[in-house]
Amino acid sequence: MLRTYVIAFLIFLYAPIALLPIFAFNSGSVIAFPLDGFTTDWFAQLGQQTELHAALLNSLFVGVLASILSVLLGLAAARANVRYRFPGKTAAMGLIMVPLVLPEIIVATSLLVVIVRFFDWPLSLWSLIAAHVLICTPFAIAILNASFQALDPALEEASIDLGETRLSTFRLVTLPLVMPGIVAALLISFTISLDEFIIAFFLTGSDVTLPVYIWSTLRFPKLLPVIMALGTIMVVISILILTLAEWNRRRGLRRVGAKDTGGFL
Amino acid sequence: MNQDSKRGLTLIAPPLAYALALLAGPMLAIVLFSFWTQDYLTINRTLSLKNYAEALSDPFYRAIMGRSLVVSGSVTVITVLLAFPVAYYVSFRVRPDRKSLWLFLITIPFWTSYLLRIFLWKVMLGYNGVVNSALTGLGLRDEPLTWLLYNANSVVLTLSHAFAPFAILPIFVALEKIDRSLLEASRDLGENAFTTFFRVTLPLAAPGVVAALLIVFIPTVGDYVTPAQVGGPNGMMIANVIQAQFRDLNNAPLGAALSVVAMLIVTVIALGTVWLARRLSRGT
């Protein structure tokens, strides 16, 4: 009985996403049943949407920079958290992890107030990158914490005993061992940034990101089938990215000889 | 100060400085800003409680705030109730080497475009949507149902779907930590499967359940996309009003005051939940 329930739950979980490819390949221009015929036109039309291309490039730019910066900050925080004891640790880690539970509208409005009302700076993709680093860092830390926890400190001590400096030990021993965690953290941060809407909605000026562009098209029924095609491609890509991240994480755990205890979060 | 502390502090300094500059600072700024007032096109910087008076007394804002809390509260309870059996199944019934695959399956929908997932619920529940097509197609109804979409219920359903993985993961983690020999001990001492669940498993899983409650409740109160897409005029929530003040109505200080009020209410409810959970777990 429990098994039946869980399967029903998974169907509920996947039902809306299953609709994406159905409408992406449906020749009718209205997103509703009954279906018409099979077509790949909507995918072909993706190539002609110049605004979409600009939005995609903006999103990739924001996602790449935001994920690199969050993983750098995440590495420092996770390393400090796992390896060292220092005064104010709980409070410091608590503050850094807060964006994980904060409603995103609060982050969006408070940064908007500071940027526009207090400093009178123009909004740009950089303001969005700064905000995305803030919300991606806690996810990076969560993943990297696990990587550093799985790392045996004796390996680093051995390296120092054998004459390496602290820096070369980090480069030659620590970094390769936590590399799978770093890759997973990069991929997850990138995925979060790529998908984030409300902060981007508030903080982008004239340069919009992909979710903001999608939001603007949801009001125009004519473009919807093309968006379904785009969505189908995005789902496939995010499944690939996640599979890669998960494969990497497991490889990392195997490398340090730890037991697998679950997913990313 | 010993060397360990120094190294730790040096490492934590950059991420901490970042959080102070982009989180703590802006939070203080929005609190200050909420005491200023909009004077047509300019901002009057004398401190005033006018925005708070309006946010707390205007029946419209009170109704929206109340609805946000009721919707989020319902989403939280429904999501956690639906999630618990799934977490239990993965933790207790699935073979250990298959567990991460199951978690992977559960989290995948969560990583696919949030906007499109919400929009697709419109396709599910709409007039010519999946549910109505199925009902009329099977001959169960002559006319499509119109009450499925654009109300508070559709917001609850859509949010429960969006936040399901958030609830499953913390409960799963708590269930994984339970020492299985405690369950055997309970059975050996004469409890049946049912009483063992309520007297051993559930109390031990309580921290995960509390975490799940908070992790669903806090972000859903401030959700913008779902009420805007599937809520209709009677499903609007606080984030939609805040956004309108900042963008269309051009009364950003009032929007800031509404944000601060929402944040305070959420914080009080969250702390209350933690306090209540601690008291209950001490009582048993």
Side-chain angles (χ1 to χ4, degrees):
Chain A
M1 200 182 78
L2 187 60
R3 197 183 163 79
T4 320
Y5 169 77
V6 173
I7 289 167
F9 186 87
L10 280 179
I11 292 172
F12 165 68
L13 220 49
Y14 279 86
I17 299 163
L19 293 174
L20 271 177
I22 295 179
F23 288 109
F25 291 109
N26 174 34
S27 59
S29 57
V30 183
I31 307 296
F33 288 96
L35 299 173
D36 291 344
F38 179 86
T39 181
T40 52
D41 277 2
W42 309 123
F43 287 90
Q45 282 189 30
L46 277 174
Q48 299 150 17
Q49 312 286 331
T50 45
E51 279 175 62
L52 187 152
H53 297 167
L56 179 65
L57 283 180
N58 286 339
S59 269
L60 292 176
F61 174 69
V62 172
V64 167
L65 276 171
S67 54
I68 292 173
L69 292 171
S70 348
V71 169
L72 286 177
L73 289 177
L75 269 173
R79 173 80 173 169
N81 182 40
V82 174
R83 194 76 159 69
Y84 300 107
R85 287 215 282 197
F86 51 91
K89 181 171 161 178
T90 318
M93 286 309 291
L95 178 69
I96 295 169
M97 298 303 271
V98 159
L100 210 54
V101 290
L102 204 63
E104 284 178 350
I105 185 112
I106 303 287
V107 176
T109 48
S110 59
L111 282 170
L112 183 73
V113 163
V114 169
I115 294 170
V116 174
R117 308 282 171 157
F118 279 73
F119 291 111
D120 199 18
W121 289 335
L123 290 170
S124 68
L125 290 178
W126 290 102
S127 41
L128 182 60
I129 292 171
H132 278 183
V133 170
L134 188 72
I135 59 162
C136 292
T137 304
F139 285 92
I141 294 174
I143 296 166
L144 293 167
N145 262 342
S147 304
F148 280 118
Q149 262 154 11
L151 185 72
D152 186 353
L155 295 172
E156 291 177 344
E157 284 158 24
S159 160
I160 290 181
D161 288 346
L162 291 169
E164 293 289 342
T165 64
R166 295 185 56 81
L167 199 70
S168 59
T169 298
F170 187 78
R171 196 167 58 82
L172 295 169
V173 178
T174 318
L175 211 52
L177 287 173
V178 294
M179 193 47 92
I182 294 176
V183 174
L186 278 171
L187 292 172
I188 294 295
S189 304
F190 180 75
T191 314
I192 292 170
S193 168
L194 201 64
D195 196 31
E196 198 287 323
F197 167 70
I198 189 71
I199 300 176
F201 191 41
F202 271 77
L203 294 188
T204 46
S206 48
D207 293 327
V208 299
T209 59
L210 197 57
V212 180
Y213 171 78
I214 293 177
W215 177 260
S216 68
T217 62
L218 290 182
R219 281 178 296 155
F220 301 106
K222 204 165 71 77
L223 277 169
L224 283 175
V226 181
I227 295 300
M228 295 292 118
L230 174 70
T232 308
I233 295 174
M234 279 162 61
V235 168
V236 172
I237 292 177
S238 53
I239 291 176
L240 286 178
I241 290 183
L242 289 170
T243 313
L244 204 63
E246 171 69 10
W247 175 75
N248 233 290
R249 194 185 61 83
R250 289 196 197 181
R251 195 171 56 116
L253 287 177
R254 264 203 310 277
R255 197 184 287 182
V256 293
K259 253 187 67 182
D260 194 357
T261 48
F264 319 108
L265 293 176
Chain B
M1 196 182 287
N2 64 30
Q3 191 139 48
D4 239 29
S5 298
K6 254 188 227 156
R7 286 196 182 124
L9 286 171
T10 320
L11 273 173
I12 202 76
L16 181 61
Y18 197 85
L20 285 171
L22 276 103
L23 183 67
M27 295 283 225
L28 290 175
I30 200 173
V31 171
L32 176 62
F33 189 70
S34 68
F35 288 104
W36 295 350
T37 43
Q38 186 81 36
D39 207 358
Y40 297 103
L41 292 175
T42 55
I43 298 279
N44 181 349
R45 301 199 169 194
T46 35
L47 299 182
S48 142
L49 285 169
K50 187 174 155 272
N51 297 322
Y52 285 94
E54 194 175 344
L56 294 171
S57 65
D58 189 321
F60 175 71
Y61 297 132
R62 292 172 70 123
I64 295 278
M65 195 65 228
R67 183 191 299 146
S68 302
L69 294 174
V70 170
V71 166
S72 295
S74 322
V75 170
T76 309
V77 172
I78 291 171
T79 310
V80 171
L81 283 179
L82 288 177
F84 194 94
V86 180
Y88 184 87
Y89 179 79
V90 178
S91 179
F92 281 78
R93 299 278 190 271
V94 172
R95 267 179 26 211
D97 57 317
R98 291 267 178 85
K99 281 181 185 174
S100 46
L101 180 70
W102 271 87
L103 292 179
F104 189 58
L105 272 178
I106 289 164
T107 37
I108 279 183
F110 164 72
W111 295 111
T112 52
S113 176
Y114 182 60
L115 281 179
L116 290 178
R117 256 184 300 151
I118 306 301
F119 172 76
L120 289 164
W121 273 105
K122 253 162 93 165
V123 180
M124 296 280 282
L125 303 174
Y127 192 79
N128 290 321
V130 177
V131 175
N132 274 327
S133 303
L135 286 177
T136 47
L138 292 170
L140 293 171
R141 301 274 317 184
D142 298 330
E143 287 286 303
L145 302 169
T146 49
W147 49 265
L148 289 173
L149 192 58
Y150 300 128
N151 52 46
N153 292 331
S154 51
V155 177
V156 172
L157 175 66
T158 307
L159 281 174
S160 304
H161 177 265
F163 281 83
F166 279 103
I168 294 174
L169 292 174
I171 299 174
F172 170 78
V173 170
L175 289 172
E176 281 292 280
K177 283 188 188 150
I178 296 175
D179 186 347
R180 300 299 194 262
S181 59
L182 291 173
L183 307 180
E184 284 166 27
S186 163
R187 298 299 289 271
D188 288 347
L189 293 167
E191 301 279 3
N192 60 35
F194 191 72
T195 51
T196 299
F197 177 79
F198 280 100
R199 298 183 64 178
V200 183
T201 316
L202 199 55
L204 287 172
V209 174
V210 173
L213 289 171
L214 295 178
I215 233 166
V216 176
F217 181 74
I218 297 171
T220 48
V221 175
D223 192 79
Y224 172 84
V225 176
T226 304
Q229 279 288 314
V230 303
N234 294 320
M236 221 202 284
M237 282 166 63
I238 194 73
N240 308 87
V241 177
I242 293 173
Q243 192 269 349
Q245 295 295 349
F246 270 93
R247 286 207 149 188
D248 312 323
L249 299 175
N250 197 23
N251 191 346
L254 178 59
L258 288 166
S259 302
V260 174
V261 170
M263 209 158 40
L264 285 177
I265 294 177
V266 170
T267 311
V268 168
I269 294 178
L271 291 177
T273 311
V274 172
W275 178 80
L276 198 70
R278 287 224 176 113
R279 276 206 57 164
L280 283 176
S281 65
R282 219 180 297 146
T284 50

